[in-house]
Amino acid sequence: MSGIAPFMVPMSVHHVLRSALLSGDLYSKYNIQSMPVRKDDDVQVARGTYKVCQGKLIQVYCWKWVTHIERTTCEKVVFAKLRLEKDQKLLLDRKAKDQNLAITHQVRLFSLLFFQF
């Protein structure tokens, strides 16, 4: 998206666009790539001069595309630790279920294409 388009979307879409990647160990544990950022999540800065900094999210401005971390402000972050609540657990379960369905569909398609006698 470019120009004014990101600022014209509804808030429900805006939260999805303000998502962050999971770190390597979290990705291997939960088997998903990204989740929406929320206040009080532990994150690590992914770009800029504060790239080595890790801290807790103090505030997330969806409309300004900025996340405020302890002692710094940045745009691109990576999850270091997930704070799982009820709705985030449901989101993880739903994403894992969707990914498992996609994998089984790909395996089924592959077997139909290549193993027909």
Side-chain angles (χ1 to χ4, degrees):
M1 286 195 211
S2 63
I4 200 165
F7 300 102
M8 301 298 285
V9 297
M11 200 59 166
S12 59
V13 177
H14 226 286
H15 282 293
V16 175
L17 293 175
R18 283 300 302 157
S19 61
L21 295 175
L22 270 67
S23 63
D25 55 341
L26 290 175
Y27 174 73
S28 62
K29 181 177 180 182
Y30 296 112
N31 204 19
I32 62 168
Q33 285 187 332
S34 64
M35 295 239 345
V37 292
R38 301 174 71 186
K39 184 180 175 182
D40 295 330
D41 283 331
D42 290 326
V43 294
Q44 180 178 3
V45 180
R47 287 188 187 158
T49 55
Y50 298 105
K51 189 172 182 177
V52 295
C53 292
Q54 184 173 346
K56 186 177 279 194
L57 282 176
I58 298 172
Q59 194 170 24
V60 178
Y61 277 125
C62 285
W63 289 114
K64 292 185 179 182
W65 295 91
V66 173
T67 53
H68 293 278
I69 305 173
E70 298 167 337
R71 299 177 307 271
T72 184
T73 301
C74 67
E75 295 178 2
K76 186 78 172 177
V77 294
V78 175
F79 279 104
K81 182 181 175 186
L82 282 178
R83 179 181 56 97
L84 292 178
E85 292 179 353
K86 181 181 174 183
D87 55 341
Q88 284 191 326
K89 287 180 185 178
L90 291 173
L91 179 66
L92 282 173
D93 294 339
R94 189 173 67 237
K95 281 188 168 192
K97 181 181 175 184
D98 291 343
Q99 190 171 21
N100 288 338
L101 285 174
I103 289 172
T104 55
H105 178 70
Q106 288 174 353
V107 168
R108 200 173 297 148
L109 218 89
F110 181 78
S111 64
L112 286 174
L113 289 175
F114 293 106
F115 296 115
Q116 288 182 347
F117 294 104

